[in-house]
Amino acid sequence: MDRLDNTIRPYAWGSTTAIPRLLGVEPTGEPQAEMWMGAHPGAPSRTERGTLVEVVDADPEKELGPASVAKFGPRLPFLLKILAAGAPLSLQVHPDLEQAKQGYEDEERRGIPVDAPHRNYKDANHKPELICALTEFDGLCGFRDPNEAAGLLDALGVDSLKPYVDLLHARPEDAALREVLTAILTADPEEMSRTVTEAAGSCARLRGAHAPYADIAQHYPGDPGVIAAMLLNHVRLQPGEALFLGAGIPHAYLSGLGVEIMANSDNVLRCGLTPKHVDVPELLRIVRFEAGDPGVLRPEAPPDGEEVYETPIDEFRLSRYVLPEGGAAHDLTRATPQILLCTAGNVRAGEHELAPGRSVFVPAGERAEVSGTGTLFRATVAA
């Protein structure tokens, strides 16, 4: 197996302290938002054999296993991250596989450069995600019940929000959510900015269920995404709890440290809380206007010690081992590629000693025995 040297991405929303604290190093004073572990061409992990992209490209069947290559092609199908949100991320959705293929082909046909700021589809893949909290972790996930959203907006006492309140009460669920989100994103920018400013003041005064939106508004003053965010479920994960974010589900991470795994894609359509491009017609085509419980995942510890976060996705499978002092070693050998990540304590993986934040890549079929005391996350392929 290969010890990984991973890139930390300095996005503006990143915490300045969370990742350094995990790694046991001094903060630089700059945001450190995400540490990427995998073979994404944007920031591939480095090994003694070269980048993980180069390692996989040299012999895909050996590194990934025949089954993975047959199903997903000659590339590592998942990307693992440590994510540290010091400020809210953009409100966003991801397409399903067919939508991604269609969108990518359309933009290619129209000759839109892949790095163009108004490009929606960087590749032809979907981007389902799973986030598992390492600390208390706040986020938004999926639409709340329209009547509940109406009550949240109505309590603000902002006259310009009354039409949205009426729509949420008067129409069927999917139509109500679609019409209100469309109205928010297409409103006159100056008028919406005034509405958001007034609403933010009310949120700060009311606190309680409105508190998260007051905090969001501090980071994104006047942004229509502040109002759009109030249509969504607010979720607070405790360490070890997780959320699965499937295609078309609007979501945003607000604060906290977590382990995130996703299909290897860059496709994001933004709804707000960002200065970046928002393609409203395409966004409305992708969003699933369905209210529901966000579905917090709380895995139970099975007899073999592997806590699996179950999802309907084949490209990735995330599980966790909490290794007690003096416990038996675990044989994690598997016919698919793996990344093993330590997040607490000290874990031995093969010949490698892993402190928190350190990881290794295990080629398909290579013996992988782990021992020690601490917490180890295992990322691999479900199929």
Side-chain angles (χ1 to χ4, degrees):
M1 61 181 73
D2 300 275
R3 180 180 291 274
L4 298 179
D5 178 18
N6 304 305
T7 297
I8 296 176
R9 310 305 296 263
Y11 305 137
W13 50 261
S15 168
T16 59
T17 59
I19 289 179
R21 186 182 302 120
L22 179 71
L23 296 174
V25 299
E26 287 296 317
T28 65
E30 298 298 318
Q32 297 189 33
E34 296 179 348
M35 186 170 76
W36 288 20
M37 291 157 279
H40 192 287
S45 299
R46 298 169 294 278
T47 77
E48 291 184 353
R49 297 189 284 158
T51 70
L52 201 50
V53 170
E54 293 167 341
V55 169
V56 170
D57 285 349
D59 195 341
E61 290 217 351
K62 178 179 181 296
E63 303 297 334
L64 306 178
S68 181
V69 172
K71 187 160 190 176
F72 305 113
R75 67 172 190 164
L76 189 66
F78 62 84
L79 176 64
L80 184 68
K81 300 178 179 179
I82 292 175
L83 183 146
L89 283 66
S90 62
L91 192 60
Q92 57 189 260
V93 297
H94 306 301
D96 64 26
L97 189 55
E98 186 58 34
Q99 291 166 339
K101 289 177 179 177
Q102 292 174 358
Y104 180 78
E105 290 169 0
D106 175 64
E107 292 185 325
E108 286 288 283
R109 188 167 53 250
R110 289 189 283 142
I112 301 174
V114 173
D115 59 354
H118 63 290
R119 173 108 184 199
N120 295 314
Y121 298 95
K122 311 294 186 183
D123 53 67
N125 200 15
H126 62 166
K127 192 187 178 188
E129 300 175 350
L130 177 77
I131 184 78
C132 179
L134 294 178
T135 65
E136 193 168 76
F137 193 99
D138 275 26
L140 305 172
C141 179
F143 288 108
R144 63 171 80 231
D145 180 272
N147 289 317
E148 184 184 340
L152 202 65
L153 292 173
D154 195 31
L156 298 176
V158 177
D159 288 342
S160 53
L161 292 176
K162 296 296 185 183
Y164 303 156
V165 172
D166 293 341
L167 283 170
L168 289 168
H169 280 311
R171 295 179 178 269
E173 176 182 289
D174 57 344
L177 294 170
R178 177 182 289 275
E179 197 157 338
V180 171
L181 183 62
T182 302
I184 291 169
L185 298 180
T186 57
D188 177 81
E190 290 188 5
E191 291 181 6
M192 179 52 71
S193 181
R194 289 193 291 270
T195 295
V196 172
T197 299
E198 188 177 353
S202 295
C203 286
R205 185 182 69 255
L206 292 169
R207 303 305 293 176
H210 292 84
Y213 310 100
D215 295 338
I216 291 170
Q218 284 189 329
H219 291 282
Y220 298 98
D223 192 302
V226 175
I227 305 301
M230 297 181 73
L231 302 177
L232 306 186
N233 296 298
H234 174 246
V235 184
R236 176 163 292 166
L237 300 178
Q238 298 304 313
E241 295 181 336
L243 282 176
F244 172 69
L245 305 160
I249 304 299
H251 61 277
Y253 301 145
L254 304 181
S255 64
L257 183 70
V259 173
E260 184 183 36
I261 191 168
M262 63 191 64
N264 205 342
S265 172
D266 270 342
N267 289 324
V268 176
L269 288 106
R270 295 175 176 85
C271 316
L273 309 182
T274 178
K276 295 182 179 180
H277 177 61
V278 176
D279 184 336
V280 175
E282 185 65 9
L283 172 71
L284 296 175
R285 189 177 78 87
I286 299 302
V287 171
R288 291 172 53 190
F289 290 96
E290 301 172 1
D293 187 280
V296 175
L297 301 176
R298 302 177 180 90
E300 295 182 5
D304 66 357
E306 184 181 26
E307 302 174 349
V308 180
Y309 295 92
E310 299 287 356
T311 74
I313 298 301
D314 290 339
E315 283 91 339
F316 61 74
R317 176 183 184 273
L318 186 71
S319 60
R320 183 181 72 158
Y321 288 85
V322 179
L323 304 173
E325 185 174 358
H330 293 267
D331 184 359
L332 273 54
T333 306
R334 190 176 169 92
T336 52
Q338 304 182 75
I339 292 177
L340 306 179
L341 165 68
C342 176
T343 58
N346 286 279
V347 177
R348 185 172 183 85
E351 62 183 17
H352 300 286
E353 296 287 344
L354 301 182
R358 311 302 175 183
S359 56
V360 293
F361 172 71
V362 186
E366 182 166 317
R367 181 169 173 75
E369 186 173 273
V370 300
S371 59
T373 305
T375 302
L376 185 79
F377 280 86
R378 179 195 207 188
T380 186
V381 178

